[in-house]
């Protein structure tokens, strides 16, 4: 058998992709998991997970490591930090090219690319990342002891992290584009009650300014388009997540916001192609829901292989029933 | 102790020896946090591909973290991890915050000598 031909390829190694890999490999399907970063996805961004059933408390890194080891133990081949350079989802045999040279084929593909923190995309942001601009309060908060900082955003993450950053900072200014917050009431109340926090509403960061490190920001008041320049030591950005689906546009059906459209069995509009996890159209994005997606997509993919794929593939997946225990 | 598969630098003597005994060294100084873990992961993978580079990590809050934290090249850094590239004991490049594999290999290919292709088992 060609070593580059698998029964299933999973794109993404977050909780959805790793779970899908586990179920596929445990059913004796030759499974390849490809990931463009380190295994674990957004899960590794969480310092402590206390609501994963069966585990009282665990770090995201530890849980990701366990899931990765489980997937490998069941027989998955895992390639991390690779770049997918070509993806052909048409026809019975799908193919994926990695790093411009390695090509893999499979009859079914599960897309679990996850998401990433949204960035502002304004001048100076890339250059001053890590030099005053941060996306992780628990990582970088202590660099801003007794400093003046800005938190950008109006959701739960922004308001909760703003409160958390008051442990370090002298002042925290929340800059939000709307005249109201999207966060839960308790998060808003806690932020409003904190004497170190002030609010700049209906405004956005238009530019980050600084040579070696961030020195100032240019803030636009959106209704009036009036610009003001403010000296600042740090800016933390918490404006939500976006799906990693840019490379899938035109290959599977996506919503306007880039989420993969799926059925209740996590089928995409392309036969043999399934999707799971945070990049799909769904209301709630949790590790537990990603794991559930991974399970459903793997079972659906196995059913697809058994019923729709060529006869020689059916023998490979004959042990599917074994995995449902 | 950092939970990585990289060699850890834990004493000042180890740090000096590492720079003295290796022409090209990449040190990632961080914590087990979300911005640091991906960089360790990239380094672990590159160990199999860049045989002529010594990949090491160091605890940011450990007793010798100051050896990296206080480097002039890191004076403007306010984001973990601090990643420093040494050639012949001298700093040739330093970065702050998370870096992708492409960013890391871009620096290695630009500042270090020709890479040695190793074999990495999947």
């Amino acid at each position: 058998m060609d070593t580059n031909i698998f029964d299933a390829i999973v794109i993404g190694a977050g909780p959805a992709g790793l779970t899908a890999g586990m179920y596929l490999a445990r059913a004796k399907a030759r499974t390849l998991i490809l990931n463009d970063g380190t295994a674990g996805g957004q899960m590794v961004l969480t310092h402590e997970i206390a609501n994963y059933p069966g585990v009282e408390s665990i770090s995201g890194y530890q849980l990701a490591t366990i899931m990765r080891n489980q997937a490998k133990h069941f027989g998955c081949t895992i390639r991390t930090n690779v770049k997918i350079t070509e993806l052909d989802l048409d026809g019975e045999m799908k193919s994926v090219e990695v790093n411009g040279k390695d090509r893999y084929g499979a009859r079914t593909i599960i897309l679990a690319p996850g998401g990433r923190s949204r960035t502002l995309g304004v001048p100076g942001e890339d250059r001053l990342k890590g030099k005053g601009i941060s996306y992780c309060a628990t990582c970088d908060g202590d660099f801003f002891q007794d400093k003046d900082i800005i938190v950008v955003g109006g959701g739960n993450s922004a308001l909760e992290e703003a409160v958390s950053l008051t442990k370090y900072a002298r002042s925290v200014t929340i800059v939000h584009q709307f005249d109201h917050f999207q966060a839960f009431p308790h998060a808003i109340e806690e932020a409003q009650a904190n004497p170190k926090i002030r609010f700049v509403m209906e405004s956005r960061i238009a530019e980050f300014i600084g040579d070696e490190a961030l020195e100032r920001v240019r803030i636009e008041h959106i209704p009036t388009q009036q610009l003001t320049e403010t000296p600042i030591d740090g800016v933390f950005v918490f404006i939500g997540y976006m799906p990693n689906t840019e490379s899938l546009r035109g290959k599977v059906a996506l919503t306007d916001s880039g989420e993969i459209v799926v059925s209740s069995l996590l089928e995409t509009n392309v036969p043999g192609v399934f999707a799971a996890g945070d990049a799909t159209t769904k209301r709630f994005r949790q590790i537990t829901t990603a794991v559930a997606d991974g399970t459903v997509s793997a079972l659906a993919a196995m059913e697809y292989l058994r019923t729709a794929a060529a006869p020689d593939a059916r023998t490979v997946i004959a042990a599917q029933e074994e995995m449902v225990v | 102790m950092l939970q990585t598969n990289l060699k850890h630098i834990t004493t000042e003597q180890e740090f000096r020896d590492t720079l003295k005994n290796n022409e090209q060294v990449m040190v990632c100084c961080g914590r087990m946090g979300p911005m640091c873990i991906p960089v360790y992961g990239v380094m672990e993978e590159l160990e199999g591909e860049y045989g002529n580079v010594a990949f090491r990590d160091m605890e940011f809050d450990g007793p010798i973290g100051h050896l990296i934290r206080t480097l002039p090249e890191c004076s403007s850094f306010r984001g973990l991890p601090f990643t420093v590239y040494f050639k012949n004991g001298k700093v040739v490049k330093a970065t702050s915050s998370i870096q992708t594999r492409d960013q890391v290999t871009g620096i290695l290919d630009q500042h270090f000598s020709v890479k040695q292709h190793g074999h990495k088992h999947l």
Side-chain angles (χ1 to χ4, degrees):
Chain A
M1 181 181 286
D2 188 332
T3 54
N4 284 339
I5 298 297
F6 290 80
D7 295 312
I9 296 174
V10 180
I11 296 178
L18 290 171
T19 303
M22 275 183 237
Y23 271 75
L24 289 162
R26 199 170 176 222
K28 311 294 187 219
R30 293 187 73 231
T31 304
L32 170 68
I33 300 178
L34 299 169
N35 195 50
D36 69 354
T38 302
Q42 297 286 318
M43 183 163 51
V44 300
L45 304 185
T46 309
H47 278 273
E48 185 190 7
I49 297 164
N51 58 357
Y52 193 81
V55 184
E56 286 189 355
S57 177
I58 192 168
S59 73
Y61 173 74
Q62 288 172 313
L63 188 56
T65 302
I66 292 168
M67 286 187 186
R68 181 190 168 120
N69 290 344
Q70 282 180 294
K72 284 190 86 167
H73 171 75
F74 287 129
C76 288
T77 300
I78 302 176
R79 290 196 65 184
T80 51
N81 288 301
V82 296
K83 185 175 284 182
I84 291 171
T85 43
E86 201 177 310
L87 182 62
D88 183 358
L89 301 178
D90 295 331
E92 187 186 333
M93 181 62 75
K94 328 292 183 191
S95 70
V96 184
E97 184 190 78
V98 168
N99 296 339
K101 52 190 171 80
D102 305 324
R103 185 170 283 273
Y104 302 99
R107 289 193 172 84
T108 185
I109 287 189
I110 295 177
L111 304 169
R116 63 183 185 278
S117 294
R118 201 179 284 277
T119 58
L120 292 168
V122 301
E125 186 175 19
D126 282 345
R127 188 172 56 81
L128 295 169
K129 181 188 78 170
K131 298 177 179 177
I133 302 172
S134 176
Y135 306 87
C136 178
T138 49
C139 303
D140 302 331
D142 57 358
F143 290 110
F144 299 92
Q145 196 74 47
D146 298 321
K147 304 285 188 188
D148 298 312
I149 63 171
I150 284 172
V151 167
V152 183
N156 286 316
S157 294
L159 270 61
E160 288 169 4
E161 299 292 21
V163 171
S164 152
L165 285 163
T166 60
K167 286 184 296 189
Y168 310 105
R170 180 169 55 197
S171 73
V172 177
T173 301
I174 295 177
V175 175
H176 186 43
Q177 61 181 328
F178 301 123
D179 63 359
H180 61 280
F181 292 110
Q182 289 80 48
F184 290 138
H186 69 82
I188 299 171
E189 287 163 16
E190 195 178 354
Q192 288 174 333
N194 193 306
K196 284 188 173 180
I197 297 179
R198 71 184 193 97
F199 302 90
V200 176
M201 306 299 285
E202 297 184 272
S203 298
R204 70 177 190 94
I205 304 284
E207 186 178 358
F208 294 101
I209 302 164
D211 292 325
E212 290 300 307
L214 178 66
E215 296 166 11
R216 304 184 306 283
V217 288
R218 191 164 285 142
I219 298 175
E220 180 190 17
H221 182 245
I222 296 168
T224 61
Q225 296 184 316
Q226 186 178 352
L227 291 167
T228 54
E229 213 166 283
T230 306
I232 204 76
D233 299 303
V235 174
F236 286 77
V237 181
F238 303 108
I239 52 172
Y241 293 95
M242 56 192 296
N244 295 321
T245 55
E246 293 88 346
S247 62
L248 298 175
R249 196 161 288 285
K251 297 183 186 300
V252 293
L254 303 177
T255 65
D256 290 343
S257 54
E259 295 161 342
I260 305 168
V261 178
V262 288
S263 70
S264 59
L265 283 177
L266 304 183
E267 302 150 304
T268 69
N269 64 316
V270 179
V273 179
F274 301 81
D278 284 2
T280 63
T281 46
K282 59 195 241 179
R283 173 89 183 271
F284 299 112
R285 292 178 169 81
Q286 298 284 305
I287 297 172
T288 47
T289 62
V291 164
D293 281 359
T295 308
V296 172
S297 64
L299 294 172
M302 293 302 292
E303 191 168 273
Y304 170 82
L305 284 176
R306 191 175 63 229
T307 58
D312 62 334
R314 293 176 196 166
T315 57
V316 177
I317 51 90
Q320 181 195 6
E321 287 75 12
E322 290 179 15
M323 70 183 174
V324 184
V325 291
Chain B
M1 183 70 76
L2 296 169
Q3 300 158 310
T4 75
N5 294 316
L6 298 166
K7 284 188 181 169
H8 315 303
I9 298 177
T10 57
T11 67
E12 186 159 354
Q13 189 60 49
E14 281 178 0
F15 181 63
R16 306 285 170 220
D17 288 347
T18 301
L19 296 189
K20 184 179 164 191
N21 299 330
N22 298 277
E23 183 189 349
Q24 302 175 138
V25 180
M26 176 181 177
V27 179
C28 184
C29 185
R31 298 170 178 148
M32 288 310 292
M35 298 292 142
C36 305
I37 289 166
V39 182
Y40 304 139
V42 168
M43 292 170 73
E44 287 176 7
E45 290 198 0
L46 294 179
E47 273 193 315
E49 299 174 27
Y50 288 74
N52 57 346
V53 178
F55 293 92
R56 300 288 188 272
D57 64 30
M58 184 189 290
E59 276 190 284
F60 190 83
D61 303 301
I64 60 161
H66 64 92
L67 296 175
I68 295 292
R69 289 200 305 264
T70 57
L71 287 170
E73 291 83 357
C74 299
S75 62
S76 63
F77 289 1
R78 293 175 206 153
L80 289 178
F82 291 8
T83 307
V84 183
Y85 302 75
F86 297 90
K87 187 164 187 178
N88 297 318
K90 307 284 186 198
V91 177
V92 292
K93 180 73 179 177
T95 63
S96 176
S97 193
I98 191 171
Q99 301 286 307
T100 64
R101 179 187 165 107
D102 282 353
Q103 288 172 315
V104 172
T105 55
I107 293 168
L108 294 176
D109 293 341
Q110 182 184 351
H111 293 281
F112 287 174
S113 60
V114 178
K115 67 181 180 181
Q116 298 170 355
H117 293 280
H119 180 73
K120 182 88 174 175
H121 291 284
L122 294 173

Coordinates of all heavy atoms in Angstrom, one line a residue, chain A residues 262-322:
Chain A
V262 N -22.5 22.9 8.2 CA -22.5 21.5 8.4 C -24.0 21.0 8.8 O -24.8 21.8 9.3 CB -21.6 21.0 9.6 CG1 -20.2 21.1 9.2 CG2 -21.9 21.8 10.9
S263 N -24.2 19.8 8.5 CA -25.5 19.1 8.9 C -25.4 18.7 10.3 O -24.3 18.8 10.9 CB -25.8 18.0 7.9 OG -24.8 16.9 8.3
S264 N -26.5 18.0 10.8 CA -26.4 17.5 12.2 C -25.4 16.4 12.3 O -24.9 16.1 13.4 CB -27.8 17.0 12.6 OG -28.2 16.0 11.7
L265 N -25.1 15.7 11.2 CA -24.0 14.7 11.2 C -22.7 15.3 10.8 O -21.7 14.5 10.6 CB -24.4 13.5 10.2 CG -25.5 12.6 10.8 CD1 -25.8 11.5 9.7 CD2 -25.0 11.9 12.0
L266 N -22.6 16.6 10.8 CA -21.3 17.3 10.6 C -20.8 17.0 9.2 O -19.6 17.1 8.9 CB -20.3 17.0 11.6 CG -20.8 17.3 13.1 CD1 -19.7 17.0 14.1 CD2 -21.2 18.7 13.2
E267 N -21.7 16.8 8.2 CA -21.3 16.7 6.8 C -21.3 18.1 6.3 O -22.1 19.0 6.6 CB -22.4 15.9 6.0 CG -22.7 14.5 6.5 CD -24.1 14.1 6.3 OE1 -25.0 14.8 6.7 OE2 -24.3 13.0 5.6
T268 N -20.3 18.3 5.4 CA -20.3 19.6 4.6 C -21.1 19.4 3.4 O -21.7 18.3 3.2 CB -18.8 20.0 4.3 OG1 -18.3 19.1 3.3 CG2 -17.9 20.0 5.5
N269 N -21.0 20.3 2.5 CA -21.8 20.2 1.2 C -21.0 19.3 0.2 O -21.5 19.0 -0.8 CB -22.0 21.5 0.6 CG -20.8 22.3 0.2 OD1 -19.8 22.3 1.0 ND2 -20.7 22.8 -1.0
V270 N -19.8 18.9 0.6 CA -19.0 18.0 -0.3 C -19.0 16.6 0.2 O -18.7 16.3 1.4 CB -17.5 18.5 -0.4 CG1 -16.7 17.6 -1.3 CG2 -17.5 20.0 -0.8
P271 N -19.5 15.6 -0.6 CA -19.5 14.2 -0.2 C -18.2 13.7 0.3 O -17.1 14.0 -0.3 CB -19.9 13.5 -1.4 CG -20.6 14.5 -2.3 CD -19.9 15.8 -2.0
G272 N -18.2 13.1 1.5 CA -17.0 12.6 2.1 C -16.2 13.5 2.9 O -15.2 13.2 3.5
V273 N -16.6 14.8 2.9 CA -15.9 15.8 3.7 C -16.8 16.2 4.9 O -17.9 16.7 4.7 CB -15.5 17.0 2.9 CG1 -14.8 18.1 3.7 CG2 -14.7 16.6 1.7
F274 N -16.2 16.1 6.1 CA -17.0 16.4 7.3 C -16.2 17.6 8.0 O -15.1 17.9 7.7 CB -17.0 15.2 8.2 CG -17.7 14.0 7.5 CD1 -17.0 13.2 6.7 CD2 -19.1 13.8 7.8 CE1 -17.7 12.2 6.0 CE2 -19.7 12.7 7.1 CZ -19.0 11.9 6.2
A275 N -16.9 18.2 9.0 CA -16.2 19.3 9.7 C -16.6 19.2 11.2 O -17.7 18.7 11.5 CB -16.6 20.6 9.1
A276 N -15.7 19.6 12.0 CA -15.9 19.5 13.5 C -15.2 20.7 14.2 O -14.2 21.2 13.7 CB -15.3 18.2 14.0
G277 N -15.7 21.0 15.3 CA -15.1 22.0 16.2 C -15.5 23.4 16.0 O -16.5 23.8 15.4
D278 N -14.6 24.3 16.5 CA -14.9 25.8 16.5 C -15.1 26.4 15.2 O -15.7 27.5 15.1 CB -13.8 26.5 17.3 CG -13.9 26.3 18.8 OD1 -14.8 25.6 19.2 OD2 -13.1 26.9 19.5
A279 N -14.6 25.8 14.1 CA -14.7 26.4 12.8 C -16.1 26.2 12.1 O -16.3 26.7 11.0 CB -13.6 25.9 11.9
T280 N -16.9 25.4 12.8 CA -18.2 25.1 12.1 C -19.3 26.0 12.6 O -19.1 26.8 13.6 CB -18.7 23.6 12.5 OG1 -18.9 23.5 13.9 CG2 -17.6 22.6 12.0
T281 N -20.4 26.0 12.0 CA -21.6 26.8 12.4 C -22.2 26.2 13.6 O -22.8 25.2 13.6 CB -22.7 26.8 11.3 OG1 -22.9 25.5 10.9 CG2 -22.3 27.6 10.1
K282 N -22.0 26.9 14.8 CA -22.6 26.4 16.0 C -22.6 27.5 17.0 O -21.9 28.5 16.9 CB -21.8 25.2 16.6 CG -20.3 25.5 16.9 CD -19.6 24.2 17.1 CE -19.0 24.0 18.4 NZ -18.4 22.7 18.6
R283 N -23.4 27.4 18.0 CA -23.7 28.5 18.9 C -22.6 28.4 20.0 O -22.1 29.5 20.4 CB -25.1 28.3 19.5 CG -25.5 29.2 20.6 CD -26.1 30.5 20.1 NE -26.3 31.5 21.2 CZ -27.5 31.5 21.9 NH1 -28.4 30.7 21.6 NH2 -27.6 32.4 22.8
F284 N -22.4 27.3 20.6 CA -21.5 27.2 21.8 C -20.2 26.5 21.4 O -20.1 25.4 20.9 CB -22.2 26.4 22.9 CG -23.5 27.0 23.3 CD1 -24.7 26.4 23.0 CD2 -23.5 28.3 23.9 CE1 -25.9 27.0 23.4 CE2 -24.7 28.9 24.3 CZ -25.9 28.2 24.0
R285 N -19.1 27.2 21.8 CA -17.8 26.7 21.5 C -17.0 26.4 22.8 O -16.6 27.3 23.5 CB -17.0 27.7 20.6 CG -17.6 27.8 19.2 CD -16.9 28.8 18.4 NE -17.3 28.7 17.0 CZ -18.5 29.2 16.5 NH1 -19.3 29.9 17.3 NH2 -18.8 29.0 15.2
Q286 N -17.0 25.2 23.1 CA -16.3 24.7 24.3 C -15.4 23.5 24.0 O -15.6 22.9 22.9 CB -17.4 24.2 25.4 CG -18.3 25.3 25.8 CD -17.6 26.3 26.8 OE1 -17.1 25.9 27.8 NE2 -17.6 27.6 26.5
I287 N -14.5 23.1 24.9 CA -13.7 21.9 24.6 C -14.7 20.7 24.5 O -14.5 19.8 23.7 CB -12.7 21.7 25.7 CG1 -11.7 22.9 25.7 CG2 -11.9 20.4 25.5 CD1 -10.7 22.9 26.8
T288 N -15.7 20.7 25.4 CA -16.6 19.5 25.4 C -17.4 19.4 24.1 O -17.6 18.3 23.6 CB -17.5 19.6 26.6 OG1 -18.1 21.0 26.7 CG2 -16.8 19.3 27.9
T289 N -17.8 20.6 23.6 CA -18.6 20.5 22.3 C -17.6 20.1 21.2 O -18.1 19.5 20.2 CB -19.3 21.8 22.0 OG1 -18.3 22.9 21.9 CG2 -20.3 22.2 23.1
A290 N -16.4 20.6 21.2 CA -15.4 20.2 20.2 C -15.2 18.7 20.2 O -15.1 18.0 19.1 CB -14.1 20.9 20.4
V291 N -15.0 18.1 21.4 CA -14.8 16.7 21.5 C -16.0 15.9 21.0 O -15.9 14.9 20.3 CB -14.6 16.4 23.0 CG1 -14.7 14.9 23.3 CG2 -13.2 16.8 23.4
A292 N -17.2 16.4 21.3 CA -18.4 15.8 20.8 C -18.5 15.8 19.3 O -18.8 14.8 18.6 CB -19.7 16.5 21.4
D293 N -18.1 17.0 18.7 CA -18.0 17.1 17.3 C -17.0 16.1 16.7 O -17.3 15.5 15.6 CB -17.5 18.5 16.9 CG -18.6 19.6 16.9 OD1 -19.8 19.2 17.3 OD2 -18.3 20.7 16.7
G294 N -15.9 16.0 17.3 CA -14.9 15.0 16.8 C -15.4 13.6 16.8 O -15.2 12.9 15.8
T295 N -16.2 13.3 17.8 CA -16.8 11.9 17.9 C -17.8 11.7 16.7 O -17.7 10.8 16.0 CB -17.5 11.7 19.2 OG1 -16.6 12.0 20.3 CG2 -18.0 10.3 19.4
V296 N -18.7 12.7 16.6 CA -19.8 12.6 15.6 C -19.2 12.5 14.2 O -19.6 11.7 13.4 CB -20.8 13.7 15.8 CG1 -21.8 13.7 14.6 CG2 -21.5 13.6 17.1
S297 N -18.3 13.4 14.0 CA -17.7 13.5 12.6 C -17.0 12.2 12.3 O -17.0 11.7 11.1 CB -16.8 14.7 12.5 OG -15.7 14.6 13.3
A298 N -16.3 11.6 13.2 CA -15.5 10.4 13.0 C -16.5 9.2 12.7 O -16.3 8.4 11.7 CB -14.7 10.0 14.2
L299 N -17.6 9.1 13.5 CA -18.5 8.1 13.3 C -19.2 8.3 11.9 O -19.4 7.3 11.2 CB -19.6 8.1 14.4 CG -19.0 7.7 15.8 CD1 -20.1 7.9 16.8 CD2 -18.6 6.2 15.8
A300 N -19.5 9.5 11.6 CA -20.2 9.8 10.3 C -19.2 9.5 9.1 O -19.6 8.9 8.1 CB -20.7 11.2 10.2
A301 N -18.0 9.8 9.3 CA -17.0 9.5 8.3 C -16.8 8.0 8.1 O -16.7 7.5 7.0 CB -15.6 10.2 8.7
M302 N -16.8 7.3 9.2 CA -16.7 5.8 9.1 C -17.9 5.2 8.3 O -17.8 4.3 7.5 CB -16.6 5.2 10.5 CG -15.3 5.5 11.2 SD -13.8 5.1 10.3 CE -13.9 3.3 10.4
E303 N -19.1 5.8 8.6 CA -20.3 5.3 8.0 C -20.2 5.6 6.5 O -20.6 4.8 5.6 CB -21.5 6.0 8.6 CG -22.8 5.4 8.1 CD -23.9 5.9 9.0 OE1 -24.2 5.3 10.0 OE2 -24.6 7.0 8.6
Y304 N -19.6 6.8 6.2 CA -19.5 7.2 4.8 C -18.5 6.2 4.1 O -18.8 5.7 3.0 CB -18.9 8.6 4.7 CG -18.4 8.9 3.3 CD1 -19.4 9.4 2.3 CD2 -17.1 8.8 2.9 CE1 -19.0 9.7 1.0 CE2 -16.7 9.1 1.6 CZ -17.6 9.6 0.7 OH -17.2 9.9 -0.6
L305 N -17.4 5.9 4.7 CA -16.5 4.9 4.1 C -17.1 3.5 3.9 O -16.9 2.9 2.9 CB -15.2 4.7 5.1 CG -14.2 5.9 5.1 CD1 -13.1 5.6 6.1 CD2 -13.6 6.1 3.7
R306 N -17.9 3.1 4.9 CA -18.5 1.8 4.8 C -19.6 1.8 3.7 O -19.7 0.8 3.0 CB -19.2 1.5 6.1 CG -19.6 0.0 6.2 CD -20.1 -0.4 7.6 NE -21.3 0.4 7.9 CZ -21.5 1.1 9.0 NH1 -20.5 1.1 9.9 NH2 -22.6 1.7 9.3
T307 N -20.3 2.8 3.5 CA -21.4 2.8 2.6 C -21.1 3.4 1.2 O -21.7 3.0 0.2 CB -22.6 3.5 3.2 OG1 -22.3 4.9 3.4 CG2 -23.1 2.9 4.4
A308 N -20.2 4.3 1.1 CA -20.1 5.1 -0.1 C -18.7 4.8 -0.8 O -18.6 5.1 -2.0 CB -20.2 6.6 0.1
A309 N -17.7 4.4 0.0 CA -16.4 4.3 -0.6 C -16.2 3.0 -1.4 O -17.1 2.1 -1.4 CB -15.3 4.4 0.5
A310 N -15.1 2.8 -2.0 CA -14.8 1.7 -2.9 C -14.7 0.4 -2.0 O -14.4 0.5 -0.8 CB -13.5 1.9 -3.6
P311 N -15.0 -0.8 -2.6 CA -15.0 -2.0 -1.8 C -13.8 -2.3 -1.0 O -13.9 -2.7 0.2 CB -15.2 -3.1 -2.9 CG -15.9 -2.4 -4.0 CD -15.3 -1.0 -4.0
D312 N -12.6 -2.0 -1.5 CA -11.4 -2.3 -0.7 C -11.3 -1.5 0.6 O -10.7 -1.9 1.5 CB -10.1 -2.1 -1.5 CG -9.9 -0.7 -2.0 OD1 -10.9 0.0 -2.1 OD2 -8.8 -0.3 -2.2
A313 N -11.9 -0.3 0.6 CA -11.9 0.5 1.8 C -12.8 -0.1 2.9 O -12.6 0.1 4.0 CB -12.3 1.9 1.5
R314 N -13.9 -0.8 2.4 CA -14.8 -1.3 3.4 C -14.2 -2.3 4.3 O -14.5 -2.3 5.5 CB -16.0 -2.0 2.7 CG -16.8 -1.0 1.8 CD -17.9 -1.7 1.1 NE -18.4 -0.8 0.0 CZ -19.2 -1.3 -1.0 NH1 -19.5 -2.5 -1.1 NH2 -19.6 -0.4 -1.9
T315 N -13.3 -3.1 3.8 CA -12.6 -4.1 4.7 C -11.8 -3.4 5.8 O -11.7 -3.9 6.9 CB -11.7 -5.0 3.9 OG1 -10.8 -4.2 3.2 CG2 -12.5 -5.8 2.9
V316 N -11.2 -2.3 5.4 CA -10.4 -1.5 6.3 C -11.1 -1.0 7.6 O -10.7 -1.0 8.7 CB -9.7 -0.3 5.6 CG1 -8.8 0.5 6.6 CG2 -8.8 -0.8 4.5
I317 N -12.4 -0.7 7.3 CA -13.2 -0.1 8.4 C -14.2 -1.0 9.0 O -15.1 -0.6 9.7 CB -13.9 1.2 7.9 CG1 -14.6 1.0 6.6 CG2 -12.8 2.3 7.7 CD1 -16.1 0.6 6.8
A318 N -14.0 -2.3 8.7 CA -14.9 -3.3 9.2 C -15.1 -3.3 10.7 O -16.1 -3.7 11.3 CB -14.6 -4.7 8.7
A319 N -14.0 -2.9 11.4 CA -14.1 -2.9 12.9 C -14.7 -1.7 13.5 O -14.6 -1.5 14.7 CB -12.6 -3.0 13.4
Q320 N -15.5 -1.0 12.7 CA -16.1 0.2 13.3 C -16.9 0.0 14.5 O -16.8 0.7 15.5 CB -17.0 0.9 12.2 CG -17.6 2.2 12.8 CD -18.8 2.7 11.9 OE1 -19.2 2.0 11.0 NE2 -19.3 3.8 12.3
E321 N -17.7 -1.1 14.4 CA -18.6 -1.4 15.6 C -17.8 -1.6 16.9 O -18.3 -1.3 18.0 CB -19.4 -2.7 15.3 CG -20.5 -2.4 14.3 CD -19.9 -2.4 12.8 OE1 -18.7 -2.7 12.6 OE2 -20.7 -2.0 11.9
E322 N -16.5 -2.0 16.8 CA -15.7 -2.2 18.0 C -15.6 -1.0 18.8 O -15.4 -1.0 20.0 CB -14.3 -2.8 17.6 CG -14.3 -4.2 17.1 CD -12.9 -4.6 16.7 OE1 -12.0 -3.9 17.1 OE2 -12.8 -5.6 16.0

